[in-house]
Amino acid sequence: MNDFTQGSILKKMIKFMIPILGALVLQAMYGAVDLMIVGQFGTTSGLSGISTGSNIMNLATFVVAGLAMAVTVQISKYIGMKNEERIARLLGATIALFSVISVVVSVVLIVFAPQLSVLMQAPEEALDLTVQYVRICGAGFLLITAYNTISSVFRGLGDSKSPLIFVAIACCVNIVGDLVLVAGFHLNVIGAAVATVAAQGISVLLSVLIIRKKKLPFHIHKQDICFNEEIKGIFKIGTPIALQELLTQLSFLALCAFVNSLGLAASSGYGVASKIQGFVMLIPGSLMQSMSSFVSQNVGAGKEKRAFRAMLTGIGIGAAVGVFVFIGVVFYGDVLAGIFTNDAAVVQEAFNYLRGFALEAIVTAVLFSFMGYYNGHARTFWVMIQGLAQTFIVRLPMAYIMTMQPDASLFKIALSAPSATIFGIVLNVVYYFHYRKQLPVTEE
């Protein structure tokens, strides 16, 4: 376990953050490989099918990951308090809760895949392919849940290297599966979906084997796996995060539907741009996850000043890297889009979106550092409120208005993302001056 309560903040944060970033890079590659190989060896309708289907799957996956964030925060807090006895009970409750959730979500995705695809306004040429993708991935949702839960546990323990290993295994298997099923057997979207589920299954299996060989500071017994008192803590911290993710992802689904109304080229271009966008968001995403664990440990140890310095350090790291990412996206976005498809119209649409989105690389690093800081303080209700304000006051209305313009373009629609993020930063800065009055005065 890593002790974040002493030593250099910058060194410890970077050391902890790099494996998380690596895991997120591989996760992004996971979905990008599907799109890339289908784009090269499949069809344009296949690109649209995976794009729309991925957005539906992300809705379910991110909600589960948001709820699992509570497990990370609680474990880190118990470690900071030197109260490791409660970890086994917490993990037993986690296994019971997420098993039930994954089964329910899987049934919903399989049964209602056609309705969800129509609701997303999937282009007619890609409707059946979207349904196939959602149903196959939905059938394997238990495996997706298991991966996210296991990773959250290890991040809570201050171990960011194990999740990197787990996702590296999945990514390698997925690449091989895509090459065999899509490039080799020309199964298009079906091949990509099967490869995704198989990769998750192998990753979870191997991760369990790796866990059994590790020396952990606790032991889980069969009687721990139940709906015990720790469930309350998981829901209290995790529900606002999960609800925010749910509504945020619904907003992305709405955005995808807006874009789908512009035609197949725009739909496919948006799908390609979304995968590149996923890579752009890796630094902010790894910052938020690192910050949650880092801050939570220091809060548990009563070191509020160190927790605040950690947030400022994260903002500095993220903004500095974001400048370079911004330049790369603005000037070389078309080159990046060309990796996924040879269709010139799709490449141009993707580039248009990326140019409007580019500023997000800088401003999101600031926003996510604030969010990680508040998550670490278990102020997840505020994180939810500010997220919903961004989405429903700025991002969705602005995207809809841009879609309705006579000269509607992906560039104008994409501007809604950084506009909403800047609005969110303002909200978080204002809230901090209110919240700091409630923090205890500590000596370090």
Side-chain angles (χ1 to χ4, degrees):
M1 295 185 296
N2 284 322
D3 184 359
F4 299 139
T5 62
Q6 54 189 342
S8 169
I9 293 176
L10 180 61
K11 289 181 180 179
K12 289 205 168 188
M13 184 173 291
I14 291 177
K15 183 178 179 181
F16 184 63
M17 178 181 163
I18 287 176
I20 293 178
L21 177 60
L24 291 177
V25 169
L26 291 176
Q27 274 188 300
M29 286 180 62
Y30 203 95
V33 165
D34 286 348
L35 205 68
M36 187 185 305
I37 294 180
V38 169
Q40 299 295 335
F41 299 98
T43 62
T44 299
S45 58
L47 277 175
S48 180
I50 289 182
S51 171
T52 305
S54 294
N55 276 285
I56 295 172
M57 291 305 303
N58 285 344
L59 171 65
T61 301
F62 287 174
V63 169
V64 168
L67 191 59
M69 177 68 76
V71 180
T72 299
V73 172
Q74 287 292 77
I75 291 176
S76 295
K77 181 179 178 180
Y78 292 155
I79 290 174
M81 295 169 61
K82 310 299 181 185
N83 187 3
E84 298 172 4
E85 293 79 6
R86 295 185 64 177
I87 296 179
R89 295 286 289 168
L90 172 63
L91 296 186
T94 299
I95 293 171
L97 175 62
F98 284 89
S99 295
V100 172
I101 290 174
S102 63
V103 171
V104 172
V105 173
S106 184
V107 170
V108 170
L109 289 171
I110 293 171
V111 173
F112 294 103
Q115 291 85 348
L116 291 170
S117 301
V118 171
L119 185 63
M120 287 291 297
Q121 295 188 39
E124 185 177 349
E125 307 95 314
L127 182 59
D128 290 341
L129 296 178
T130 303
V131 172
Q132 291 171 0
Y133 186 86
V134 172
R135 279 183 165 161
I136 294 171
C137 291
F141 194 72
L142 175 63
L143 302 173
I144 296 173
T145 301
Y147 165 76
N148 281 282
T149 304
I150 291 171
S151 297
S152 294
V153 168
F154 277 92
R155 282 192 291 269
L157 292 171
D159 177 3
S160 56
K161 294 181 181 178
S162 293
L164 174 60
I165 295 172
F166 303 154
V167 74
I169 294 169
C171 191
C172 291
V173 173
N174 188 50
I175 291 172
V176 173
D178 279 337
L179 290 173
V180 171
L181 298 176
V182 180
F185 289 94
H186 303 290
L187 293 180
N188 205 18
V189 169
I190 293 177
V194 170
T196 294
V197 173
Q200 290 282 8
I202 293 174
S203 174
V204 170
L205 176 62
L206 293 179
S207 67
V208 171
L209 295 177
I210 292 172
I211 290 171
R212 294 184 63 179
K213 294 183 179 180
K214 282 183 172 289
K215 293 182 179 180
L216 300 174
F218 54 84
H219 297 283
I220 303 178
H221 304 286
K222 289 184 179 179
Q223 59 267 29
D224 292 322
I225 303 175
C226 61
F227 288 84
N228 57 48
E229 70 281 356
E230 295 294 340
I231 291 286
K232 182 179 179 181
I234 294 175
F235 275 117
K236 182 179 179 181
I237 297 174
T239 299
I241 301 176
L243 183 58
Q244 179 201 350
E245 289 291 353
L246 172 64
L247 296 175
T248 299
Q249 290 305 312
L250 283 174
S251 76
F252 286 135
L253 292 183
L255 179 58
C256 184
F258 294 161
V259 172
N260 283 345
S261 68
L262 300 181
L264 185 61
S267 173
S268 300
Y270 175 71
V272 169
S274 293
K275 295 305 178 185
I276 299 172
Q277 172 182 308
F279 283 99
V280 171
M281 300 298 286
L282 293 181
I283 294 292
S286 59
L287 266 175
M288 184 172 67
Q289 291 187 23
S290 303
M291 195 71 63
S292 297
S293 297
F294 208 102
V295 169
S296 187
Q297 267 199 35
N298 282 283
V299 170
K303 296 188 175 183
E304 288 291 348
K305 292 180 181 179
R306 184 176 173 85
F308 178 70
R309 291 199 300 270
M311 181 182 71
L312 296 181
T313 301
I315 289 174
I317 294 172
V321 176
V323 170
F324 291 98
V325 176
F326 169 83
I327 293 172
V329 170
V330 169
F331 292 101
Y332 301 102
D334 54 341
V335 177
L336 296 173
I339 296 174
F340 293 89
T341 178
N342 295 320
D343 190 317
V346 173
V347 169
Q348 186 58 49
E349 291 285 7
F351 189 28
N352 288 340
Y353 184 88
L354 290 172
R355 287 188 298 112
F357 172 83
L359 184 60
E360 189 83 335
I362 301 173
V363 294
T364 303
V366 179
L367 177 66
F368 277 25
S369 293
F370 272 108
M371 290 170 63
Y373 175 79
Y374 292 128
N375 283 338
H377 281 85
R379 305 294 292 191
T380 54
F381 184 75
W382 164 252
V383 174
M384 177 188 72
I385 293 299
Q386 62 87 35
L388 298 183
Q390 293 176 56
T391 298
F392 293 101
I393 295 177
V394 180
R395 183 181 294 114
L396 270 186
M398 184 174 175
Y400 179 75
I401 291 171
M402 292 300 180
T403 306
M404 295 296 102
Q405 299 301 308
D407 56 344
S409 68
L410 291 188
F411 172 77
K412 293 181 178 179
I413 294 173
L415 290 173
S416 62
S419 299
T421 299
I422 292 171
F423 177 68
I425 292 172
V426 173
L427 291 179
N428 279 283
V429 170
V430 172
Y431 180 76
Y432 174 76
F433 286 105
H434 164 73
Y435 178 57
R436 72 175 182 174
K437 297 176 184 177
Q438 305 173 31
L439 297 175
V441 178
T442 59
E443 295 294 333
E444 300 178 24

